Amino acid sequence: MEYVYSALILHSLGKEINEEAIANIIKAAGAEPDMARIKALVSALSEIDIEEAIKSAAFAPAAAPAATAAPAAEEKKEEEKKEEKKEEEEEKKEEEAIAGLGALFG
């Protein structure tokens, strides 16, 4: 995950995403970089428009508060349903992220 974050940091700073730059960020964080992973990431990112990927990323919008006042029991049930739905969406995102990373690192 730290390799992807390193690439995002470089992208947000407008720097070139290359093996040396990612390795330097990992070293600066106090870890030993795995050059094989870095090479795989740089290779995979060379074919991706990072800005477009960020824009098209699925983020769950914050739930809007209810416009009408409902009894406390109904509100509690609605909140529980929303929380369950939110948890399911987060789990789905995590699964998608893991699948995407699995494709990057085999």
Side-chain angles (χ1 to χ4, degrees):
M1 200 60 140
E2 59 272 6
Y3 300 99
V4 174
Y5 289 145
S6 298
L8 288 173
I9 288 170
L10 291 168
H11 174 74
S12 69
L13 295 174
K15 304 288 184 177
E16 180 182 356
I17 299 172
N18 59 38
E19 295 169 19
E20 181 181 352
I22 291 175
N24 287 338
I25 290 174
I26 299 297
K27 286 178 188 175
E32 187 64 34
D34 179 351
M35 294 308 292
R37 283 186 159 185
I38 292 173
K39 287 179 183 182
L41 177 63
V42 170
S43 176
L45 290 177
S46 68
E47 301 172 7
I48 295 174
D49 180 1
I50 295 174
E51 197 63 40
E52 186 63 33
I54 291 171
K55 287 179 185 177
S56 66
F59 291 105
T68 60
E74 288 182 23
E75 285 182 329
K76 195 171 189 176
K77 288 180 183 178
E78 285 183 36
E79 288 179 12
E80 289 175 0
K81 287 181 183 178
K82 287 180 184 178
E83 288 178 15
E84 289 177 6
K85 187 174 181 180
K86 195 179 221 182
E87 289 175 6
E88 290 174 3
E89 290 175 3
E90 289 177 3
E91 289 175 0
K92 183 177 178 183
K93 286 181 198 174
E94 289 177 8
E95 291 172 1
E96 290 173 354
I98 290 170
L101 289 174
L104 280 175
F105 301 111

Coordinates of all heavy atoms in Angstrom, one line a residue:
M1 N 0.8 -1.2 0.0 CA 0.0 0.0 0.0 C 0.9 1.3 0.0 O 0.5 2.2 -0.6 CB -0.9 -0.1 1.2 CG -2.1 0.8 1.1 SD -3.1 0.3 -0.3 CE -4.7 0.5 0.4
E2 N 2.0 1.2 0.7 CA 2.9 2.3 0.8 C 3.4 2.7 -0.6 O 3.7 3.9 -0.8 CB 4.0 2.1 1.8 CG 4.9 0.9 1.5 CD 4.4 -0.4 2.1 OE1 3.3 -0.5 2.7 OE2 5.1 -1.4 2.0
Y3 N 3.5 1.8 -1.5 CA 4.1 2.1 -2.8 C 3.0 2.9 -3.6 O 3.4 3.8 -4.3 CB 4.4 0.8 -3.5 CG 5.5 0.0 -2.8 CD1 5.1 -1.1 -2.0 CD2 6.8 0.3 -2.9 CE1 6.1 -1.8 -1.3 CE2 7.8 -0.4 -2.2 CZ 7.4 -1.5 -1.4 OH 8.4 -2.2 -0.7
V4 N 1.8 2.5 -3.5 CA 0.7 3.2 -4.2 C 0.6 4.6 -3.6 O 0.5 5.6 -4.3 CB -0.6 2.5 -4.0 CG1 -1.8 3.3 -4.6 CG2 -0.5 1.1 -4.7
Y5 N 0.7 4.7 -2.3 CA 0.7 6.1 -1.6 C 1.8 6.9 -2.1 O 1.7 8.1 -2.3 CB 0.7 5.9 -0.1 CG -0.6 5.4 0.5 CD1 -0.5 4.6 1.6 CD2 -1.8 5.7 0.0 CE1 -1.7 4.1 2.2 CE2 -3.0 5.2 0.5 CZ -2.9 4.4 1.7 OH -4.0 3.9 2.2
S6 N 3.0 6.3 -2.2 CA 4.1 7.1 -2.7 C 3.9 7.6 -4.1 O 4.2 8.8 -4.4 CB 5.4 6.2 -2.7 OG 5.7 5.7 -1.4
A7 N 3.3 6.8 -5.0 CA 3.0 7.2 -6.3 C 2.0 8.4 -6.3 O 2.1 9.3 -7.1 CB 2.5 6.1 -7.1
L8 N 1.0 8.3 -5.4 CA 0.0 9.4 -5.3 C 0.6 10.6 -4.8 O 0.3 11.7 -5.2 CB -1.2 8.9 -4.4 CG -2.1 7.9 -5.0 CD1 -3.1 7.4 -3.9 CD2 -2.8 8.4 -6.2
I9 N 1.6 10.5 -3.9 CA 2.3 11.7 -3.4 C 3.0 12.4 -4.5 O 2.9 13.6 -4.7 CB 3.2 11.4 -2.2 CG1 2.4 11.0 -1.0 CG2 4.2 12.5 -1.9 CD1 3.2 10.4 0.1
L10 N 3.8 11.6 -5.3 CA 4.5 12.1 -6.4 C 3.6 12.8 -7.4 O 3.9 13.9 -7.9 CB 5.3 11.0 -7.1 CG 6.5 10.5 -6.2 CD1 7.1 9.2 -6.9 CD2 7.6 11.6 -6.1
H11 N 2.5 12.1 -7.7 CA 1.5 12.7 -8.6 C 0.9 14.0 -8.2 O 0.9 15.0 -8.9 CB 0.3 11.7 -8.9 CG -0.7 12.3 -9.7 ND1 -0.6 12.4 -11.1 CD2 -2.0 12.7 -9.4 CE1 -1.7 13.0 -11.6 NE2 -2.6 13.2 -10.6
S12 N 0.6 14.1 -6.9 CA 0.0 15.3 -6.3 C 1.0 16.5 -6.3 O 0.6 17.6 -6.4 CB -0.6 15.1 -4.9 OG 0.5 14.9 -4.0
L13 N 2.3 16.1 -6.3 CA 3.3 17.2 -6.3 C 3.7 17.5 -7.7 O 4.6 18.4 -7.9 CB 4.5 16.7 -5.5 CG 4.3 16.5 -4.0 CD1 5.5 15.9 -3.3 CD2 4.0 17.9 -3.4
G14 N 3.2 16.8 -8.7 CA 3.5 17.1 -10.1 C 4.9 16.5 -10.5 O 5.5 16.9 -11.5
K15 N 5.4 15.6 -9.7 CA 6.7 14.9 -10.0 C 6.5 13.7 -10.8 O 5.5 13.1 -10.9 CB 7.4 14.6 -8.6 CG 7.5 15.7 -7.7 CD 8.6 16.6 -8.1 CE 8.8 17.7 -7.1 NZ 9.9 18.6 -7.4
E16 N 7.6 13.3 -11.5 CA 7.6 12.1 -12.3 C 7.5 10.9 -11.4 O 8.3 10.8 -10.4 CB 8.8 12.0 -13.2 CG 8.9 10.8 -14.0 CD 10.2 10.7 -14.8 OE1 11.0 11.6 -14.8 OE2 10.4 9.7 -15.5
I17 N 6.7 9.9 -11.7 CA 6.6 8.7 -10.9 C 7.5 7.7 -11.6 O 7.3 7.2 -12.6 CB 5.1 8.2 -11.0 CG1 4.2 9.2 -10.3 CG2 5.0 6.8 -10.2 CD1 2.7 8.9 -10.5
N18 N 8.7 7.5 -10.9 CA 9.7 6.6 -11.4 C 10.2 5.8 -10.2 O 9.9 6.0 -9.0 CB 10.8 7.3 -12.1 CG 11.5 8.3 -11.2 OD1 11.7 8.1 -10.1 ND2 11.9 9.4 -11.8
E19 N 11.0 4.8 -10.5 CA 11.5 3.8 -9.5 C 12.3 4.5 -8.4 O 12.1 4.3 -7.2 CB 12.3 2.7 -10.1 CG 11.4 1.8 -11.0 CD 12.3 0.9 -11.9 OE1 13.5 0.7 -11.6 OE2 11.7 0.4 -12.9
E20 N 13.1 5.4 -8.8 CA 14.0 6.1 -7.8 C 13.2 7.0 -6.9 O 13.4 7.0 -5.7 CB 15.0 6.9 -8.6 CG 16.0 7.7 -7.7 CD 17.0 8.5 -8.4 OE1 17.0 8.5 -9.7 OE2 17.7 9.3 -7.8
A21 N 12.2 7.7 -7.4 CA 11.4 8.6 -6.6 C 10.6 7.8 -5.6 O 10.5 8.2 -4.4 CB 10.5 9.5 -7.5
I22 N 10.0 6.7 -6.0 CA 9.2 5.9 -5.0 C 10.1 5.3 -4.0 O 9.8 5.3 -2.8 CB 8.4 4.8 -5.8 CG1 7.3 5.5 -6.6 CG2 7.8 3.8 -4.8 CD1 6.5 4.6 -7.5
A23 N 11.3 4.8 -4.4 CA 12.2 4.2 -3.5 C 12.7 5.3 -2.4 O 12.8 5.0 -1.2 CB 13.4 3.6 -4.2
N24 N 12.9 6.5 -2.9 CA 13.3 7.5 -1.9 C 12.2 7.8 -0.9 O 12.5 8.1 0.3 CB 13.7 8.8 -2.7 CG 15.0 8.7 -3.4 OD1 15.8 7.8 -3.1 ND2 15.2 9.5 -4.5
I25 N 11.0 7.8 -1.3 CA 9.9 8.1 -0.4 C 9.8 7.0 0.6 O 9.7 7.2 1.8 CB 8.5 8.3 -1.1 CG1 8.6 9.6 -1.9 CG2 7.4 8.3 -0.1 CD1 7.4 9.8 -2.8
I26 N 9.9 5.7 0.2 CA 9.9 4.6 1.1 C 11.0 4.6 2.1 O 10.8 4.4 3.3 CB 9.9 3.3 0.3 CG1 8.7 3.2 -0.7 CG2 9.9 2.1 1.2 CD1 7.3 3.2 0.0
K27 N 12.2 5.0 1.6 CA 13.4 5.1 2.5 C 13.2 6.2 3.5 O 13.5 6.1 4.7 CB 14.6 5.4 1.7 CG 15.1 4.2 0.9 CD 16.4 4.5 0.1 CE 16.8 3.4 -0.8 NZ 17.9 3.8 -1.7
A28 N 12.6 7.3 3.0 CA 12.4 8.5 3.9 C 11.4 8.1 5.0 O 11.5 8.7 6.1 CB 11.9 9.7 3.1
A29 N 10.5 7.2 4.8 CA 9.5 6.8 5.8 C 10.1 5.7 6.7 O 9.5 5.3 7.7 CB 8.3 6.2 5.1
G30 N 11.4 5.3 6.5 CA 12.1 4.4 7.4 C 11.9 3.0 7.0 O 12.2 2.1 7.9
A31 N 11.5 2.7 5.8 CA 11.3 1.3 5.4 C 12.3 0.9 4.3 O 12.9 1.8 3.6 CB 9.9 1.0 4.9
E32 N 12.5 -0.3 4.1 CA 13.4 -0.8 3.0 C 12.6 -1.0 1.8 O 11.6 -1.9 1.8 CB 14.1 -2.1 3.4 CG 15.2 -2.5 2.5 CD 16.3 -1.6 2.3 OE1 16.7 -0.9 3.3 OE2 16.9 -1.5 1.2
P33 N 12.8 -0.3 0.7 CA 12.0 -0.5 -0.5 C 12.2 -1.9 -1.2 O 13.3 -2.4 -1.2 CB 12.4 0.6 -1.4 CG 13.7 1.0 -0.9 CD 13.8 0.7 0.5
D34 N 11.2 -2.5 -1.7 CA 11.2 -3.7 -2.5 C 11.2 -3.3 -4.0 O 10.2 -2.9 -4.5 CB 10.0 -4.6 -2.2 CG 10.0 -5.9 -2.9 OD1 10.8 -6.1 -3.8 OD2 9.1 -6.7 -2.6
M35 N 12.4 -3.3 -4.6 CA 12.5 -2.9 -6.0 C 11.6 -3.6 -7.0 O 11.2 -3.0 -7.9 CB 14.0 -2.9 -6.4 CG 14.8 -1.9 -5.6 SD 14.2 -0.2 -5.6 CE 14.4 0.3 -7.2
A36 N 11.4 -4.9 -6.7 CA 10.5 -5.6 -7.6 C 9.1 -5.1 -7.6 O 8.5 -4.9 -8.7 CB 10.5 -7.1 -7.2
R37 N 8.6 -4.8 -6.4 CA 7.2 -4.2 -6.3 C 7.2 -2.8 -7.0 O 6.2 -2.4 -7.6 CB 6.8 -4.1 -4.9 CG 6.4 -5.4 -4.3 CD 5.8 -5.2 -2.9 NE 5.0 -6.3 -2.6 CZ 4.3 -6.4 -1.5 NH1 4.3 -5.5 -0.6 NH2 3.5 -7.5 -1.3
I38 N 8.3 -2.0 -6.7 CA 8.3 -0.7 -7.3 C 8.3 -0.7 -8.8 O 7.6 0.0 -9.5 CB 9.5 0.1 -6.8 CG1 9.4 0.3 -5.3 CG2 9.7 1.4 -7.5 CD1 10.6 0.9 -4.6
K39 N 9.1 -1.6 -9.4 CA 9.1 -1.8 -10.8 C 7.8 -2.2 -11.4 O 7.3 -1.7 -12.4 CB 10.2 -2.8 -11.2 CG 11.6 -2.3 -11.1 CD 12.6 -3.4 -11.5 CE 14.0 -2.9 -11.2 NZ 15.0 -3.8 -11.6
A40 N 7.1 -3.1 -10.7 CA 5.8 -3.6 -11.2 C 4.8 -2.4 -11.1 O 4.0 -2.2 -12.0 CB 5.3 -4.7 -10.3
L41 N 4.8 -1.6 -10.0 CA 3.9 -0.5 -9.9 C 4.2 0.6 -11.0 O 3.2 1.0 -11.6 CB 4.1 0.1 -8.5 CG 3.2 1.4 -8.2 CD1 1.7 1.0 -8.3 CD2 3.6 2.0 -6.9
V42 N 5.4 0.9 -11.1 CA 5.8 2.0 -12.2 C 5.3 1.5 -13.5 O 4.8 2.2 -14.3 CB 7.3 2.3 -12.1 CG1 7.7 3.2 -13.3 CG2 7.6 3.0 -10.8
S43 N 5.5 0.2 -13.8 CA 5.1 -0.4 -15.1 C 3.6 -0.3 -15.3 O 3.1 0.1 -16.3 CB 5.6 -1.8 -15.2 OG 5.2 -2.4 -16.4
A44 N 2.9 -0.7 -14.2 CA 1.4 -0.7 -14.3 C 0.9 0.8 -14.4 O -0.1 1.0 -15.1 CB 0.8 -1.3 -13.1
L45 N 1.5 1.7 -13.7 CA 1.0 3.1 -13.8 C 1.4 3.8 -15.1 O 0.7 4.8 -15.4 CB 1.6 3.9 -12.6 CG 1.0 3.5 -11.2 CD1 1.7 4.3 -10.1 CD2 -0.5 3.7 -11.1
S46 N 2.3 3.3 -15.8 CA 2.7 3.9 -17.1 C 1.6 3.9 -18.1 O 1.5 4.7 -19.0 CB 3.9 3.3 -17.6 OG 3.7 2.0 -18.1
E47 N 0.6 2.9 -17.9 CA -0.5 2.7 -18.8 C -1.8 3.4 -18.3 O -2.8 3.3 -18.9 CB -0.7 1.2 -19.1 CG 0.5 0.5 -19.6 CD 0.3 -1.0 -19.7 OE1 -0.8 -1.4 -19.4 OE2 1.3 -1.6 -20.0
I48 N -1.7 4.0 -17.1 CA -2.9 4.6 -16.5 C -2.8 6.1 -16.4 O -1.8 6.6 -16.0 CB -3.1 4.0 -15.1 CG1 -3.3 2.5 -15.2 CG2 -4.2 4.6 -14.3 CD1 -3.3 1.8 -13.9
D49 N -3.9 6.8 -16.7 CA -4.1 8.2 -16.5 C -4.5 8.4 -15.0 O -5.7 8.2 -14.7 CB -5.1 8.8 -17.4 CG -5.3 10.3 -17.2 OD1 -4.6 10.9 -16.4 OD2 -6.1 10.9 -18.0
I50 N -3.6 8.7 -14.1 CA -3.9 8.7 -12.7 C -5.0 9.8 -12.4 O -5.9 9.5 -11.6 CB -2.6 9.0 -11.9 CG1 -1.6 7.9 -12.1 CG2 -2.9 9.3 -10.4 CD1 -0.3 8.1 -11.5
E51 N -4.9 10.9 -13.0 CA -5.9 11.9 -12.8 C -7.3 11.4 -13.1 O -8.3 11.6 -12.4 CB -5.6 13.2 -13.6 CG -6.3 14.4 -13.1 CD -6.0 14.8 -11.7 OE1 -4.8 14.7 -11.3 OE2 -6.9 15.2 -11.0
E52 N -7.5 10.7 -14.2 CA -8.8 10.2 -14.6 C -9.2 9.1 -13.7 O -10.4 9.0 -13.3 CB -8.7 9.6 -16.1 CG -10.0 9.1 -16.6 CD -11.0 10.2 -16.7 OE1 -10.7 11.4 -17.0 OE2 -12.2 9.9 -16.6
A53 N -8.3 8.3 -13.2 CA -8.6 7.2 -12.3 C -9.1 7.8 -10.9 O -10.0 7.3 -10.3 CB -7.4 6.3 -12.0
I54 N -8.5 8.9 -10.5 CA -8.9 9.5 -9.3 C -10.3 10.1 -9.4 O -11.2 10.0 -8.6 CB -7.9 10.6 -8.9 CG1 -6.6 10.0 -8.4 CG2 -8.5 11.5 -7.7 CD1 -5.5 11.0 -8.2
K55 N -10.6 10.7 -10.6 CA -11.9 11.3 -10.8 C -13.0 10.3 -10.9 O -14.1 10.5 -10.5 CB -11.9 12.1 -12.1 CG -11.1 13.4 -12.0 CD -11.1 14.2 -13.3 CE -10.3 15.4 -13.3 NZ -10.2 16.1 -14.6
S56 N -12.7 9.1 -11.4 CA -13.7 8.1 -11.6 C -13.8 7.2 -10.4 O -14.6 6.3 -10.4 CB -13.4 7.3 -12.9 OG -12.2 6.6 -12.7
A57 N -13.0 7.4 -9.4 CA -13.0 6.5 -8.2 C -14.4 6.7 -7.5 O -15.0 7.8 -7.5 CB -11.9 6.9 -7.3
A58 N -14.9 5.6 -7.0 CA -16.2 5.6 -6.4 C -16.1 6.0 -5.0 O -15.6 5.2 -4.2 CB -16.9 4.3 -6.6
F59 N -16.6 7.2 -4.6 CA -16.7 7.6 -3.2 C -18.1 7.7 -2.8 O -18.9 8.2 -3.5 CB -16.0 9.0 -3.0 CG -14.5 8.9 -3.3 CD1 -14.0 9.4 -4.4 CD2 -13.7 8.4 -2.3 CE1 -12.6 9.4 -4.6 CE2 -12.3 8.3 -2.5 CZ -11.8 8.9 -3.7
A60 N -18.4 7.1 -1.6 CA -19.8 7.2 -1.1 C -20.1 8.6 -0.6 O -19.4 9.1 0.2 CB -20.0 6.2 0.0
P61 N -21.1 9.2 -1.1 CA -21.5 10.5 -0.6 C -22.0 10.4 0.8 O -22.6 9.4 1.2 CB -22.6 11.0 -1.6 CG -23.1 9.8 -2.2 CD -22.0 8.7 -2.2
A62 N -21.8 11.5 1.6 CA -22.4 11.5 2.9 C -23.9 11.5 2.9 O -24.5 12.1 2.0 CB -21.9 12.7 3.6
A63 N -24.5 10.7 3.8 CA -25.9 10.7 3.8 C -26.5 12.0 4.3 O -26.1 12.6 5.3 CB -26.4 9.6 4.8
A64 N -27.5 12.5 3.6 CA -28.2 13.7 3.9 C -29.1 13.5 5.1 O -29.8 12.4 5.2 CB -28.9 14.3 2.7
P65 N -29.3 14.5 6.0 CA -30.2 14.3 7.1 C -31.6 14.2 6.6 O -32.0 14.8 5.6 CB -29.9 15.5 8.0 CG -29.3 16.5 7.1 CD -28.6 15.7 6.0
A66 N -32.5 13.5 7.3 CA -33.9 13.4 7.0 C -34.6 14.8 7.0 O -34.4 15.5 8.0 CB -34.6 12.4 7.9
A67 N -35.4 15.1 6.0 CA -36.1 16.4 6.0 C -37.2 16.5 6.9 O -37.6 17.6 7.4 CB -36.6 16.6 4.5
T68 N -37.9 15.4 7.2 CA -39.0 15.4 8.1 C -38.6 14.7 9.5 O -37.8 13.8 9.5 CB -40.2 14.7 7.5 OG1 -39.9 13.3 7.3 CG2 -40.7 15.3 6.2
A69 N -39.3 15.2 10.5 CA -39.0 14.6 11.8 C -39.8 13.3 12.0 O -41.0 13.3 11.7 CB -39.4 15.6 12.9
A70 N -39.2 12.2 12.3 CA -39.8 10.9 12.5 C -39.7 10.5 13.9 O -38.8 11.0 14.6 CB -39.2 9.9 11.6
P71 N -40.5 9.6 14.4 CA -40.4 9.2 15.8 C -39.0 8.6 16.0 O -38.4 8.1 15.1 CB -41.5 8.1 15.9 CG -42.5 8.4 14.8 CD -41.7 9.1 13.7
A72 N -38.6 8.6 17.2 CA -37.2 8.1 17.6 C -36.9 6.7 17.1 O -35.9 6.4 16.6 CB -37.0 8.3 19.1
A73 N -37.9 5.8 17.3 CA -37.7 4.4 16.9 C -37.5 4.3 15.4 O -36.6 3.5 14.9 CB -38.9 3.6 17.3
E74 N -38.2 5.0 14.6 CA -38.1 5.0 13.1 C -36.7 5.5 12.7 O -36.1 5.0 11.8 CB -39.2 5.7 12.4 CG -40.5 5.0 12.5 CD -41.6 5.8 11.7 OE1 -41.3 6.6 10.8 OE2 -42.8 5.5 12.1
E75 N -36.3 6.6 13.4 CA -35.0 7.2 13.0 C -33.9 6.2 13.4 O -33.0 6.1 12.6 CB -34.8 8.5 13.8 CG -35.6 9.7 13.3 CD -35.4 10.9 14.1 OE1 -35.1 10.8 15.3 OE2 -35.4 12.0 13.5
K76 N -34.0 5.6 14.5 CA -33.0 4.6 14.8 C -32.9 3.5 13.8 O -31.8 3.1 13.5 CB -33.3 4.0 16.2 CG -32.2 3.3 16.9 CD -32.5 3.0 18.3 CE -31.2 2.5 19.0 NZ -31.5 2.2 20.4
K77 N -34.1 3.0 13.4 CA -34.1 1.9 12.4 C -33.4 2.4 11.1 O -32.7 1.6 10.4 CB -35.5 1.4 12.1 CG -36.1 0.6 13.3 CD -37.5 0.1 13.0 CE -38.1 -0.6 14.1 NZ -39.5 -1.0 13.8
E78 N -33.8 3.6 10.7 CA -33.2 4.2 9.4 C -31.7 4.3 9.5 O -31.0 4.0 8.6 CB -33.8 5.5 9.1 CG -35.3 5.4 8.6 CD -35.8 6.8 8.2 OE1 -35.0 7.7 7.7 OE2 -37.0 7.0 8.4
E79 N -31.3 4.8 10.7 CA -29.8 4.9 10.9 C -29.1 3.6 10.8 O -28.0 3.5 10.3 CB -29.5 5.6 12.2 CG -29.9 7.1 12.3 CD -29.6 7.7 13.6 OE1 -29.0 7.1 14.5 OE2 -30.1 8.9 13.8
E80 N -29.7 2.6 11.4 CA -29.1 1.3 11.4 C -29.0 0.7 10.0 O -28.0 0.1 9.6 CB -29.9 0.3 12.3 CG -29.8 0.6 13.8 CD -30.7 -0.3 14.6 OE1 -31.4 -1.1 14.1 OE2 -30.6 -0.2 15.9
K81 N -30.1 1.0 9.2 CA -30.1 0.5 7.8 C -29.0 1.3 7.0 O -28.3 0.7 6.2 CB -31.5 0.8 7.2 CG -32.5 -0.2 7.7 CD -33.9 0.1 7.0 CE -35.0 -0.8 7.5 NZ -36.3 -0.5 6.9
K82 N -28.9 2.6 7.3 CA -27.9 3.4 6.6 C -26.5 2.9 6.9 O -25.6 2.8 6.1 CB -28.1 4.8 6.9 CG -29.3 5.5 6.3 CD -29.3 6.9 6.6 CE -30.6 7.6 6.1 NZ -30.7 9.0 6.5
E83 N -26.3 2.6 8.2 CA -25.0 2.1 8.7 C -24.7 0.8 8.0 O -23.5 0.6 7.6 CB -25.0 2.0 10.2 CG -24.9 3.4 10.9 CD -24.9 3.2 12.4 OE1 -24.7 2.1 12.9 OE2 -25.2 4.3 13.0
E84 N -25.7 -0.1 8.0 CA -25.4 -1.4 7.3 C -25.1 -1.2 5.9 O -24.2 -1.9 5.4 CB -26.7 -2.3 7.5 CG -26.9 -2.8 8.9 CD -28.2 -3.6 9.1 OE1 -28.8 -3.9 8.0 OE2 -28.5 -3.9 10.2
K85 N -25.8 -0.4 5.2 CA -25.6 -0.1 3.8 C -24.2 0.5 3.6 O -23.5 0.1 2.7 CB -26.7 0.8 3.2 CG -26.6 1.0 1.7 CD -27.7 1.8 1.2 CE -27.6 1.9 -0.3 NZ -28.7 2.7 -0.9
K86 N -23.8 1.4 4.5 CA -22.6 2.1 4.4 C -21.4 1.1 4.6 O -20.4 1.0 3.9 CB -22.5 3.2 5.4 CG -21.3 4.1 5.2 CD -21.4 5.2 6.3 CE -21.1 6.6 5.8 NZ -21.1 7.6 6.8
E87 N -21.6 0.2 5.6 CA -20.6 -0.9 5.8 C -20.5 -1.8 4.6 O -19.4 -2.2 4.3 CB -21.0 -1.7 7.1 CG -20.8 -0.9 8.4 CD -21.3 -1.7 9.6 OE1 -21.7 -2.8 9.5 OE2 -21.3 -1.1 10.6
E88 N -21.6 -2.2 4.0 CA -21.6 -3.0 2.8 C -20.8 -2.4 1.7 O -20.0 -3.0 1.0 CB -23.0 -3.4 2.4 CG -23.7 -4.3 3.3 CD -25.1 -4.6 2.9 OE1 -25.6 -4.1 1.9 OE2 -25.8 -5.3 3.7
E89 N -21.1 -1.1 1.5 CA -20.4 -0.3 0.5 C -18.9 -0.2 0.7 O -18.1 -0.4 -0.2 CB -21.0 1.1 0.3 CG -22.4 1.1 -0.3 CD -23.0 2.5 -0.3 OE1 -22.3 3.5 0.2 OE2 -24.1 2.6 -0.7
E90 N -18.5 0.0 2.0 CA -17.1 0.0 2.4 C -16.4 -1.3 2.1 O -15.3 -1.4 1.6 CB -16.9 0.5 3.8 CG -17.3 2.0 4.0 CD -17.2 2.4 5.5 OE1 -16.8 1.6 6.3 OE2 -17.5 3.6 5.7
E91 N -17.1 -2.4 2.5 CA -16.6 -3.7 2.3 C -16.4 -4.0 0.8 O -15.4 -4.5 0.4 CB -17.5 -4.8 2.9 CG -17.5 -4.8 4.4 CD -18.4 -5.8 5.0 OE1 -19.2 -6.5 4.3 OE2 -18.5 -5.9 6.2
K92 N -17.3 -3.6 0.0 CA -17.2 -3.8 -1.4 C -16.0 -3.0 -2.0 O -15.3 -3.5 -2.8 CB -18.5 -3.3 -2.1 CG -18.5 -3.5 -3.6 CD -19.8 -3.1 -4.2 CE -19.8 -3.3 -5.7 NZ -21.1 -2.9 -6.4
K93 N -15.9 -1.7 -1.5 CA -14.7 -0.9 -2.0 C -13.4 -1.6 -1.6 O -12.5 -1.6 -2.4 CB -14.8 0.5 -1.4 CG -15.8 1.3 -2.0 CD -15.8 2.7 -1.3 CE -17.0 3.5 -1.5 NZ -17.0 4.7 -0.8
E94 N -13.3 -2.1 -0.4 CA -12.1 -2.8 0.1 C -11.8 -4.0 -0.8 O -10.7 -4.2 -1.1 CB -12.2 -3.2 1.6 CG -12.2 -2.0 2.5 CD -12.4 -2.4 4.0 OE1 -12.4 -3.6 4.3 OE2 -12.5 -1.5 4.8
E95 N -12.9 -4.7 -1.1 CA -12.7 -5.9 -1.9 C -12.2 -5.5 -3.3 O -11.3 -6.2 -3.9 CB -14.0 -6.7 -2.0 CG -14.4 -7.4 -0.7 CD -15.8 -8.0 -0.8 OE1 -16.4 -8.0 -1.8 OE2 -16.2 -8.6 0.2
E96 N -12.8 -4.5 -3.9 CA -12.3 -4.0 -5.2 C -10.9 -3.5 -5.1 O -10.1 -3.8 -6.0 CB -13.3 -2.9 -5.7 CG -14.7 -3.4 -6.0 CD -15.6 -2.3 -6.3 OE1 -15.2 -1.1 -6.2 OE2 -16.7 -2.6 -6.8
A97 N -10.6 -2.8 -4.1 CA -9.2 -2.3 -3.9 C -8.2 -3.4 -3.8 O -7.1 -3.4 -4.4 CB -9.1 -1.3 -2.7
I98 N -8.5 -4.4 -3.0 CA -7.7 -5.6 -2.8 C -7.5 -6.3 -4.2 O -6.4 -6.7 -4.5 CB -8.2 -6.5 -1.7 CG1 -8.0 -5.8 -0.4 CG2 -7.5 -7.8 -1.7 CD1 -8.7 -6.5 0.7
A99 N -8.6 -6.5 -4.9 CA -8.5 -7.1 -6.2 C -7.6 -6.3 -7.2 O -6.8 -6.9 -7.9 CB -9.9 -7.3 -6.8
G100 N -7.8 -5.0 -7.1 CA -6.9 -4.2 -8.0 C -5.5 -4.2 -7.6 O -4.6 -4.3 -8.5
L101 N -5.2 -4.2 -6.4 CA -3.8 -4.4 -5.9 C -3.2 -5.7 -6.2 O -2.1 -5.9 -6.5 CB -3.7 -4.0 -4.4 CG -3.9 -2.6 -4.0 CD1 -3.9 -2.4 -2.5 CD2 -2.8 -1.7 -4.7
G102 N -4.1 -6.7 -6.1 CA -3.7 -8.1 -6.4 C -3.2 -8.2 -7.9 O -2.3 -8.9 -8.2
A103 N -3.9 -7.5 -8.7 CA -3.6 -7.5 -10.1 C -2.2 -6.8 -10.3 O -1.5 -7.2 -11.2 CB -4.7 -6.8 -11.0
L104 N -2.0 -5.8 -9.5 CA -0.7 -5.1 -9.7 C 0.5 -5.9 -9.2 O 1.5 -5.9 -9.8 CB -0.7 -3.8 -8.8 CG -1.4 -2.6 -9.4 CD1 -1.4 -1.5 -8.4 CD2 -0.7 -2.2 -10.7
F105 N 0.3 -6.7 -8.1 CA 1.4 -7.3 -7.5 C 1.4 -8.9 -7.7 O 2.2 -9.6 -7.1 CB 1.5 -7.0 -6.0 CG 1.7 -5.5 -5.8 CD1 0.7 -4.7 -5.3 CD2 2.9 -4.9 -6.2 CE1 0.9 -3.4 -5.1 CE2 3.1 -3.5 -6.0 CZ 2.0 -2.8 -5.5
G106 N 0.4 -9.3 -8.4 CA 0.3 -10.8 -8.7 C 0.1 -11.6 -7.5 O 0.5 -12.5 -7.1

